[in-house]
Amino acid sequence: MLRFLLQRLIVAAAVALTVSVITFVLSHVAIDPAVAVAPDSATDADIAAIRAQYGFDRPLPVQYLGYLGDIVTLDLGTSYLTGEPVAGMIAERVPTTALLAVFSILFALALAIPLGVLAASFPNTMIDRLCLLLAVAGQAIPNFWAGLILILIFGVNLQWLPISGSSSLAHFVLPTIALGTFAMPALMRLTRAGMLDVLASDFVRTHRAMGLAPAAILFRWGLSNALLPVISLTAVQFGFMLGGSIIIESVFAIHGVGYLAWQSFSRADMPVIQAIVLLVSLAYIVLTLAADLINAWMDPRIRSAA
Amino acid sequence: MKFHASLALAALVAASPAMAGPDDNSLTIGLGEELPGFDGYTSTSRDGVVMTRHLFDTLIWRNPETFEYEPLLATEWSRIDDRTYEFKLREGVTFTDGSPFAADDVVGTLTYWSNPENGARSQSSVSWIETVEAVDDMTVRIVSKEPFPAALEFVAGSLPIYPWDYFEEVGAETFNREPVGSGPYKLETAQGGTTTLSINETYYDSPKAASIETLMIRTIPDDATRIAELLGGGIDWTWNVPADQVAQIDSVPGRTGVLGSTMRIAFIGLDAAGRTGEGNPLTDVKVRQAINHAIDKAAIVANLVGGDGEVIDVPCYPMQFGCDVDAAVTYDYDPEKAKALLAEAGFADGLTVSMTSYRDRARAEAVQAYLAAVGITANLEMLQARASFSGWREGQTEVWYGDWGSFSIADAQASLGNFFDGSSNDGFRDEEVMALVAEAAGTVDEEVRKANYAEAIKLITERAYMVPMHTVVMGYAYDSALNFTPNVDEIPRFFTASW
């Protein structure tokens, strides 16, 4: 188990380093940071002054090493735009984004598991098809569009819920639905597939033959076995929630990390972009690692294979 | 993201008017960009400029209705010599922290920010200042390095005055978050995407005195969401509304949509200097003239700009000082002539150019289609504003359909002077034009300036360095109960608004 953990950690560190290089290079190639920092009215002299002030005139590898040095000492730098420390800007917004991600994944699970079980219980029937249709729709509808439609129906026309902002729990209802709907289909299909597998297995047939109640078979033996892969997918989907919140937070003007990312992208606030990309990829790495570990812990076959 | 069907739907249900606004005399404003801070010297985005006008006062201001300079923190001013202006300061003004306003506030603020080491983002607003000195407690003199005709324009628009003792005590970084000024409003709170300003109760009898007591500014980045909030009554005012949605908003009961004229001019810059590479077809004046003849500007304005947008034939805003419309050589829409000119230039079989734009895809595609009709293939790329602009500046774009707001300055120096000065904006590099513009920028003699700009405009249009297109309109939408007048300088003034 220790060796397994160590292997995974080394891979995780390599991925984190790669992500930091790619983010750094892409963000510097995409746009001249000095032009981005300068106001629209800046003259060439203004831009040159900014370039020297921020050290953009140094060679890219030198800038990268400086940046890496800061990251290692846990200094994420200061925003070009606001002049505030990036760490503080992100820390202020993490709770909002985490809240939205947790709500969304819970919402997704609350829909996906019952629908998956239902579909597997009646395979290849109208019910199964209907569940599949929901899954396809959830996956296919772009979440910004779903967000706008929700805003239109519940915010503008019915006026039941606030349209945008994040100042109360009611503000989270629409974005949770928009984001959760997007995570639901994969979880549902995996639940369904797992359930079908388990229900077709020998021990379930034996249980049936022994005359156990169908509900007990379904939940006690079926679901508990089928859920194993769903757990690791949930961890990965949770990572998606953090990434997907860039769009949803912008649509709903939720004051979280995703919204900060959008603002920073649109105005090329490099230190903030780099910090967010790095944090989101770290979150991904930690979540996949956690999923691997949970699986290994629950399923001895995986552990021994590693 | 289009919102057509949804808007129509929303119009069916009578939008309930937002009663919170008039009831407690507050105004909720929806902006698209988060405010980076409140210091006018480092928060130079458009929304930042709007905020600083509400929190701070300048020595003088340009009355948005008459366009005249009028007293604000200074009651009188006069030119002592070519380089020196003297300002008599207003007695009895206090900042919102209670400290009295005096000459040392002006001297401290302007001396600090004109020092390039202190990192004012728009150095051109302050770099002309050589010294600022107090003659006595209520009189200051601003001395420029060279004779500087635009001095008053910057004093009126870009140089807010801070309480110097407070600024020195807390430093620039804290001041940016916790500003204190002497403007019509003061900052209450700024958190979670909402900024609240409340009326300055100790404000002097100023032309900027406000009627609305509380301004709540919310950042809502998505256009469609912002419009939905306006229709639902969550916000009372917003701008940057896409032109095609303004009329639909206006048809909703209780909501007003307007396309306000602005000083911003749209034009198509042509890479006449050949920055994108040797032998670029656009270095040939005939090709550039052909492009001028190929585009039906009137049709684009009528169908795609809308509102008060106007066709322009000059590379400046016609209301600007020195922007002599009669000096321009004009090109009528004549695709046959364009084809003939191209053939003369040796491009009878057509040519291919790179093109970028950002503000409006439909307009850019219309231009692309007009060019295609005379045999010019324009590979159009729609980009973010900054990326598109910096592509032009770095000489990577052959055809750039961009626009320019002249920093809201009513002088051709702010338009011609920024595109024909040999800087990176200048993709034309015409020595003659550059000399004329430079001379005009360095003298305070109005006749010389007028004559130089007129000659420059003649040469620029004759040599077809750009295609002057049209003025840009700004889409505003607000609660119909609000009295609000858009300004051509794209700076909404909520202190003049009322319920």
Side-chain angles (χ1 to χ4, degrees):
Chain A
M1 187 71 184
L2 195 67
R3 185 154 158 261
F4 174 78
L5 185 66
L6 207 65
Q7 270 182 349
R8 289 296 157 131
L9 279 176
I10 292 169
V11 171
V15 171
L17 193 70
T18 315
V19 168
S20 84
V21 174
I22 293 175
T23 318
F24 189 86
V25 171
L26 281 186
S27 52
H28 278 76
V29 168
I31 187 168
D32 181 345
V35 173
V37 172
D40 293 339
S41 56
T43 61
D44 289 355
D46 296 353
I47 292 171
I50 287 169
R51 191 167 285 135
Q53 190 192 340
Y54 287 90
F56 297 142
D57 46 0
R58 297 172 300 161
L60 212 53
V62 176
Q63 290 188 51
Y64 175 70
L65 286 180
Y67 160 70
L68 199 63
D70 289 344
I71 297 287
V72 170
T73 56
L74 293 180
D75 177 6
L76 293 175
T78 49
S79 157
Y80 293 159
L81 212 65
T82 65
E84 281 178 58
V86 174
M89 288 170 76
I90 293 177
E92 185 199 328
R93 291 165 170 85
V94 162
T96 309
T97 298
L99 201 62
L100 178 61
V102 169
F103 283 158
S104 304
I105 205 78
L106 289 180
F107 175 79
L109 286 172
L111 275 184
I113 293 177
L115 284 177
V117 172
L118 193 67
S121 310
F122 305 96
N124 303 318
T125 62
M126 260 330 253
I127 295 177
D128 189 14
R129 296 278 151 74
L130 212 64
C131 292
L132 191 72
L133 185 74
L134 272 177
V136 170
Q139 193 116 62
I141 294 174
N143 53 9
F144 70 84
W145 189 79
L148 287 178
I149 295 302
L150 288 171
I151 285 177
L152 188 71
I153 297 173
F154 297 102
V156 178
N157 285 357
L158 297 174
Q159 306 215 346
W160 287 351
L161 289 162
I163 293 168
S164 66
S166 48
S167 49
S168 76
L169 281 180
H171 285 88
F172 284 88
V173 176
L174 296 181
T176 295
I177 297 172
L179 196 55
T181 313
F182 192 64
M184 181 272 285
L187 294 170
M188 190 213 106
R189 275 180 300 142
L190 199 64
T191 310
R192 177 181 177 275
M195 283 299 284
L196 282 178
D197 267 0
V198 177
L199 292 179
S201 66
D202 292 344
F203 80 91
V204 169
R205 201 179 44 204
T206 311
H207 283 317
R208 282 219 178 96
M210 287 164 67
L212 286 176
I217 295 175
L218 211 56
F219 294 105
R220 172 111 189 260
W221 284 282
L223 192 59
S224 62
N225 277 292
L227 275 187
L228 208 63
V230 174
I231 290 171
S232 52
L233 184 68
T234 303
V236 176
Q237 288 287 34
F238 191 74
F240 270 125
M241 297 294 93
L242 296 174
S245 64
I246 292 184
I247 296 163
I248 288 298
E249 287 186 8
S250 306
V251 169
F252 289 96
I254 290 174
H255 202 67
V257 178
Y259 171 99
L260 180 66
W262 164 251
Q263 292 271 337
S264 310
F265 279 127
S266 60
R267 287 188 285 179
D269 195 350
M270 230 66 84
V272 182
I273 297 173
Q274 281 160 356
I276 291 176
V277 171
L278 204 60
L279 283 183
V280 170
S281 46
L282 278 180
Y284 250 113
I285 292 167
V286 170
L287 287 169
T288 9
L289 187 66
D292 284 349
L293 292 177
I294 292 171
N295 267 351
W297 174 62
M298 290 174 72
D299 190 341
R301 283 170 300 182
I302 300 176
R303 220 176 333 175
S304 51
Chain B
M1 262 165 273
K2 292 291 172 187
F3 214 58
H4 294 160
S6 41
L7 271 177
L9 232 124
L12 288 178
V13 295
S16 66
M19 289 314 290
D23 279 359
D24 60 1
N25 200 11
S26 73
L27 180 69
T28 307
I29 298 158
L31 299 182
E33 282 199 351
E34 195 158 355
L35 299 169
F38 301 98
D39 167 27
Y41 295 92
T42 54
S43 296
T44 43
S45 73
R46 175 67 54 172
D47 291 347
V49 171
V50 172
M51 280 307 111
T52 55
R53 296 278 171 114
H54 289 79
L55 292 171
F56 307 109
D57 272 348
T58 42
L59 289 175
I60 58 174
W61 78 317
R62 213 184 240 290
N63 184 314
E65 276 161 34
T66 61
F67 272 95
E68 299 295 325
Y69 293 125
E70 286 180 8
L72 215 52
L73 285 175
T75 49
E76 304 167 28
W77 59 97
S78 55
R79 186 153 74 210
I80 306 290
D81 59 50
D82 264 10
R83 292 170 45 218
T84 312
Y85 274 100
E86 184 172 285
F87 297 86
K88 290 258 176 245
L89 304 185
R90 186 182 296 273
E91 307 272 348
V93 174
T94 54
F95 291 99
T96 52
D97 65 348
S99 62
F101 162 73
D104 56 335
D105 298 308
V106 182
V107 175
T109 307
L110 298 185
T111 306
Y112 179 88
W113 286 112
S114 59
N115 179 352
E117 281 169 24
N118 291 323
R121 287 283 168 84
S122 188
Q123 280 292 323
S124 42
S125 305
V126 286
S127 60
W128 55 275
I129 299 175
E130 182 168 87
T131 56
V132 184
E133 51 209 44
V135 177
D136 60 45
D137 206 30
M138 282 318 220
T139 312
V140 290
R141 282 183 181 178
I142 301 179
V143 184
S144 58
K145 290 171 184 161
E146 311 280 337
F148 190 65
L152 282 186
E153 195 63 53
F154 281 112
V155 170
S158 314
L159 307 178
I161 304 301
Y162 299 159
W164 185 242
D165 287 341
Y166 174 74
F167 185 90
E168 240 189 341
E169 183 195 320
V170 300
E173 207 175 300
T174 306
F175 189 88
N176 191 31
R177 286 192 311 270
E178 298 163 20
V180 169
S182 64
Y185 287 93
K186 60 181 186 230
L187 178 69
E188 285 294 328
T189 55
Q191 57 188 7
T194 303
T195 297
T196 308
L197 307 187
S198 65
I199 199 164
N200 175 4
E201 276 144 2
T202 60
Y203 203 37
Y204 57 93
D205 181 22
S206 160
K208 281 173 72 180
S211 151
I212 290 171
E213 279 169 27
T214 314
L215 301 180
M216 270 169 304
I217 299 120
R218 289 191 46 203
T219 313
I220 305 168
D222 190 88
D223 283 346
T225 310
R226 225 163 47 241
I227 294 168
E229 280 282 21
L230 183 85
L231 296 176
I235 59 174
D236 307 313
W237 185 97
T238 189
W239 67 341
N240 281 307
V241 179
D244 57 337
Q245 291 173 26
V246 167
Q248 298 182 56
I249 291 174
D250 201 42
S251 68
V252 175
R255 300 291 178 273
T256 300
V258 226
L259 281 173
S261 190
T262 73
M263 278 176 75
R264 187 170 291 275
I265 53 165
F267 55 85
I268 301 173
L270 305 172
D271 178 32
R275 293 193 294 178
T276 55
E278 291 281 319
N280 176 341
L282 297 171
T283 53
D284 187 330
V285 63
K286 290 208 169 74
V287 175
R288 299 197 302 267
Q289 287 171 335
I291 291 176
N292 268 277
H293 279 300
I295 299 166
D296 189 351
K297 301 194 274 194
I300 289 180
V301 168
N303 297 308
L304 298 174
V305 178
D308 297 334
E310 288 165 42
V311 170
I312 54 167
D313 295 311
V314 280
C316 44
Y317 179 65
M319 296 271 283
Q320 284 177 322
F321 174 88
C323 188
D324 186 348
V325 181
D326 298 328
V329 176
T330 58
Y331 298 83
D332 51 342
Y333 170 56
D334 190 343
E336 289 314 313
K337 206 168 185 176
K339 280 186 205 164
L341 281 163
L342 284 175
E344 272 179 55
F347 293 102
D349 298 332
L351 63 124
T352 301
V353 291
S354 67
M355 172 176 176
T356 81
S357 189
Y358 52 93
R359 194 174 292 275
D360 188 306
R361 177 178 287 276
R363 290 201 315 250
E365 285 176 349
V367 168
Q368 188 185 26
Y370 281 122
L371 293 180
V374 299
I376 300 174
T377 309
N379 294 319
L380 172 66
E381 225 185 324
M382 289 301 290
L383 299 171
Q384 288 248 322
R386 279 177 194 284
S388 174
F389 196 7
S390 71
W392 169 255
R393 278 178 160 169
E394 289 162 25
Q396 296 163 351
T397 309
E398 289 172 320
V399 174
W400 181 59
Y401 189 178
D403 51 55
W404 184 250
S406 296
F407 335 129
S408 306
I409 290 174
D411 190 302
Q413 166 61 18
S415 47
L416 291 176
N418 276 279
F419 277 86
F420 296 91
D421 58 347
S423 71
S424 59
N425 286 347
D426 183 348
F428 325 107
R429 309 291 163 110
D430 184 315
E431 301 283 344
E432 249 178 294
V433 174
M434 277 154 63
L436 287 166
V437 168
E439 195 193 356
T443 175
V444 286
D445 185 331
E446 295 200 346
E447 287 314 308
V448 174
R449 301 186 68 228
K450 264 187 193 164
N452 278 22
Y453 286 134
E455 181 62 16
I457 290 167
K458 178 174 160 283
L459 293 178
I460 291 163
T461 48
E462 196 172 72
R463 295 170 187 173
Y465 290 126
M466 45 168 72
V467 187
M469 291 291 291
H470 50 81
T471 56
V472 174
V473 292
M474 167 61 82
Y476 299 87
Y478 44 90
D479 190 311
S480 303
L482 183 74
N483 300 306
F484 172 81
T485 318
N487 298 108
V488 291
D489 60 6
E490 294 174 88
I491 299 176
R493 291 160 172 86
F494 298 112
F495 44 81
T496 63
S498 63
W499 288 108

